[in-house]
Amino acid sequence: MVNEEKVRIMTQIALDETKNHKKEISEGEYYKSDYIRSHVISAVWNITVSYFLFVCLAVIYHADYIFVNVARLHYEVIGFLVLGIYAFIVLLSILLSYLIYSKKYIKNKKVLDDYCSKLEELEHFYEQNGEEEVDDTITGA
């Protein structure tokens, strides 16, 4: 006999696993520090590559000026300016990434707690009714 409560719980769990919270469930096995650290490192890497490409494009765009004035440019000032801007952008991205992914981890934790409570509810349902799920195709019945 089909129990409607069991079917409802199993349907909610299946929807969470496949559609609603698939990403949150897969990311739920990380510790908070590991989750935040991996996303911050990813953000810093993306900022670094983007900034390097931007500087390369700026150099290419101003190549004629650079080649004409190669002896008169103040390379120390340009270097400090480029590195200073890079350091500021990286520090800002670290701070923002930390804040954003801390909030996201807390939100994911709530979703994961809800998912785990549904699993515990299903487990409690099986314990209460003394049922064990047996696949008839495996047992040959």
Side-chain angles (χ1 to χ4, degrees), residues 31-81:
Y31 290 111
K32 183 177 182 179
S33 60
D34 293 338
Y35 178 80
I36 294 171
R37 185 181 307 121
S38 67
H39 284 87
V40 167
I41 289 171
S42 175
V44 169
W45 172 254
N46 292 333
I47 292 290
T48 301
V49 170
S50 300
Y51 189 76
F52 176 75
L53 291 175
F54 177 77
V55 168
C56 288
L57 286 175
V59 168
I60 291 170
Y61 182 76
H62 296 289
D64 57 343
Y65 179 80
I66 292 170
F67 288 137
V68 169
N69 299 313
V70 73
R72 288 184 260 166
L73 292 175
H74 300 283
Y75 294 107
E76 298 87 16
V77 174
I78 294 171
F80 283 125
L81 184 64

Side-chain angles (χ1 to χ4, degrees), residues 119-135:
L119 288 175
E120 288 172 0
E121 185 180 349
L122 183 63
E123 182 180 359
H124 179 69
F125 179 83
Y126 278 123
E127 289 174 356
Q128 185 179 24
N129 294 331
E131 295 179 12
E132 295 241 356
E133 219 178 278
V134 178
D135 190 1

